[in-house]
Amino acid sequence: MNCDLLRAEMPGRRIEWHSAIGSTMTEASRLAASGAPSGTVVGAEEQTAGRGRHGRTWHSEPGSGLYISVILRHQFPPATLPVVTLALGLAVRDAILQATDLACDLRWPNDVLIPSQNSEGKCAGILTTLEGSAIIAGIGIDVNHSQFPVELESTATSLRIASGRPHSRERLLLELLPVIDRFCALLETRGPEPILEMFSRASSYVTGRRVSVDQMGSTLFGTTAGLSDSGFLILRGDDGRDNLIVAGGVRPCS
């Protein structure tokens, strides 16, 4: 990563970059607790303990992906955190489109997918946590990966695999950070409604999609029926009842 280029293009932004680190989120949380300003970026060429949702790890091939965490200090009430995650998904989607011309789908709550003829592959994920008054936004994007571990081959993809060519991680980050600022400012000034509307339009998973949802050892089946005002997914079960999905792995099914 050419950090000199990044700092020259964004002179007012604090950028901490590591050749290898356990987790950028852990380091960003430490910096946030010590008072680091909003917009501070922690990135790494490699994560040895990258964090995904529900305690999963994030595969971080050295030098191939964009593995960053951003400190956000906005006037968001804690209950807005699910909508912040949706806003970040929109930001990642827009940045990928601008940098690569690849159109992505969004799977509630935090997956960015690249559709193909008969399937879809996950190319990015988002994780948000609270650190005092700050939000730590962890974002992992598979940029130039040429292959994945066997256990991920059927579900993961990269921008390179999808487009057939390598991409500049610097350009992607330069596209991503301003659009994160823009969506966060929109959420701060106008509240959740515009973000919920845009996410609903951008995602094929929000309405009318037959899915299964993992729920604490059980599985719910049904058809998605929109988002709640808090940003949670509404699943109309096969019994006709609406279920509010606060967390859980959403997957397509027949």
Side-chain angles (χ1 to χ4, degrees), residues 8 17 56 58 74-75 103-104 110 113 141 158 161 168 205-206 216 237 241 246:
W17 208 267
R56 300 187 184 99
W58 180 268
H74 295 271
Q75 298 302 310
C104 296
N110 69 326
L113 311 173
I141 305 176
S158 71
I161 291 171
S168 166
Y205 276 84
V206 168
M216 299 292 290
R241 297 179 181 178
V246 176

Side-chain angles (χ1 to χ4, degrees), residues 205-209 223-228 233-236 242:
Y205 276 84
V206 168
T207 304
R209 187 73 177 260
T223 302
T224 57
L227 299 173
S228 74
L233 186 67
I234 301 169
L235 180 72
R236 186 151 298 150
D242 284 349

Side-chain angles (χ1 to χ4, degrees), residues 4-80:
D4 290 338
L5 171 64
L6 296 177
R7 294 187 178 106
E9 292 288 336
M10 298 179 290
R13 190 182 294 268
R14 181 176 176 181
I15 299 173
E16 303 280 344
W17 208 267
H18 302 264
S19 57
I21 197 171
S23 164
T24 62
M25 291 197 75
T26 301
E27 177 62 12
S29 294
R30 187 189 70 79
L31 291 177
S34 67
S38 187
T40 296
V41 178
V42 177
E45 294 298 300
E46 177 186 11
Q47 293 183 115
T48 58
R51 292 160 58 184
R53 280 172 61 83
H54 307 303
R56 300 187 184 99
T57 58
W58 180 268
H59 174 64
S60 304
E61 180 180 310
S64 296
L66 198 59
Y67 318 123
I68 66 167
S69 293
V70 185
I71 298 172
L72 304 175
R73 298 187 187 275
H74 295 271
Q75 298 302 310
F76 301 142
T80 309

Side-chain angles (χ1 to χ4, degrees), residues 63-129:
S64 296
L66 198 59
Y67 318 123
I68 66 167
S69 293
V70 185
I71 298 172
L72 304 175
R73 298 187 187 275
H74 295 271
Q75 298 302 310
F76 301 142
T80 309
L81 190 61
V83 185
V84 175
T85 301
L86 304 185
L88 293 168
L90 288 166
V92 172
R93 174 182 178 269
D94 282 8
I96 289 174
L97 181 62
Q98 291 299 318
T100 70
D101 290 328
L102 288 168
C104 296
D105 193 7
L106 298 173
R107 181 170 61 201
W108 184 93
N110 69 326
D111 293 339
V112 183
L113 311 173
I114 301 178
S116 60
Q117 280 188 332
N118 299 311
S119 63
E120 58 191 7
K122 179 177 175 179
C123 69
I126 297 148
L127 183 63
T128 52
T129 63

